[in-house]
């Protein structure tokens, strides 16, 4: 099992602000886990007794609405921390986390992180900054839902996935999402998402092979935003 003080992943999140001694201590109590595609990391309403540091892979954070529909709030990627908000608030998780592809994560117990939050101001500040960025993203999502069309939101989502995660050798998007996932990200019915994707295809902006999507005209898709 890798040592936290030697792990490059920590450079992408607040763990970079821990001292070597703190990292060595965490390294001795963390557990490394492999999470398969489709597996639940934690459920909405679950007590999350620590934080997950994502070493590899992607998961979706979603919330179940009253009508039983999932709304995807965020995608958590390699280098991110997962579960810190519940840990700090002392509340059960407000969201469900599900792996979109196979993941490697390290789980750090709550007691260790709380100790570091209380004793290392730089670490505490970095965690606050990460949570502030999450709040800003949530604000943007709310505004987009209210002011932008499904077409605009879906174009933004495709561009975000392209720019953030890249493409396979055949130029298809490297993150494979279901049509339902796309609908849940932009906050619409699956049928509406399928209809807009078909429009994009007819306009020559994308092409599809099964569930895989390839962006054919990136600039055209940016204009569709």
């Amino acid at each position: 099992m890798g040592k936290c003080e030697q792990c490059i992943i920590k450079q992408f999140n607040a763990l970079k602000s821990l001292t070597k001694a703190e990292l060595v201590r965490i390294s001795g109590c963390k557990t490394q886990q492999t999470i398969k595609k489709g597996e639940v990391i934690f459920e909405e309403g679950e007590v999350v007794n620590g934080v997950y540091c994502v070493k590899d892979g992607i998961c979706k954070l979603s919330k179940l609405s009253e009508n039983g529909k999932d709304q995807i709030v965020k995608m958590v990627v390699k280098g991110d921390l997962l579960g810190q908000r519940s840990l700090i608030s002392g509340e059960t998780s407000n969201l469900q986390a599900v792996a979109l592809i196979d993941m490697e994560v390290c789980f750090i117990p709550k007691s260790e992180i709380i100790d570091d939050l209380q004793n290392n101001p730089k670490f505490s500040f970095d965690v606050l900054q990460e949570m502030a960025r999450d709040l800003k993203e949530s604000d943007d999502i709310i505004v987009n839902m209210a002011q932008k069309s499904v077409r605009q939101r879906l174009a933004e989502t495709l561009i975000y996935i392209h720019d953030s995660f890249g493409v396979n050798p055949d130029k298809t998007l490297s993150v494979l999402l279901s049509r339902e996932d796309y609908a849940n990200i932009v906050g619409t019915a699956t049928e509406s998402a399928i209809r807009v994707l078909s429009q994009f295809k007819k306009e020559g902006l994308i092409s599809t092979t099964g569930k895989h999507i390839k962006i054919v005209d990136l600039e055209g898709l940016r204009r569709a935003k």
Side-chain angles (χ1 to χ4, degrees), residues 6-51:
Q6 296 172 355
C7 180
I8 61 167
I9 294 298
K10 71 176 186 296
Q11 297 305 322
F12 300 105
N13 58 51
L15 296 178
K16 66 180 177 293
S17 296
L18 295 177
T19 66
K20 184 175 180 181
E22 287 167 339
L23 286 166
V24 168
R25 193 191 74 246
I26 280 177
S27 197
C29 64
K30 69 160 193 209
T31 52
Q32 198 164 321
Q33 302 173 16
T34 299
I35 299 164
K36 293 295 182 185
K37 176 183 176 179
E39 284 185 2
V40 174
I41 303 168
F42 54 77
E43 296 278 8
E44 187 177 336
E46 186 177 320
V47 175
V48 184
N49 288 313
V51 296

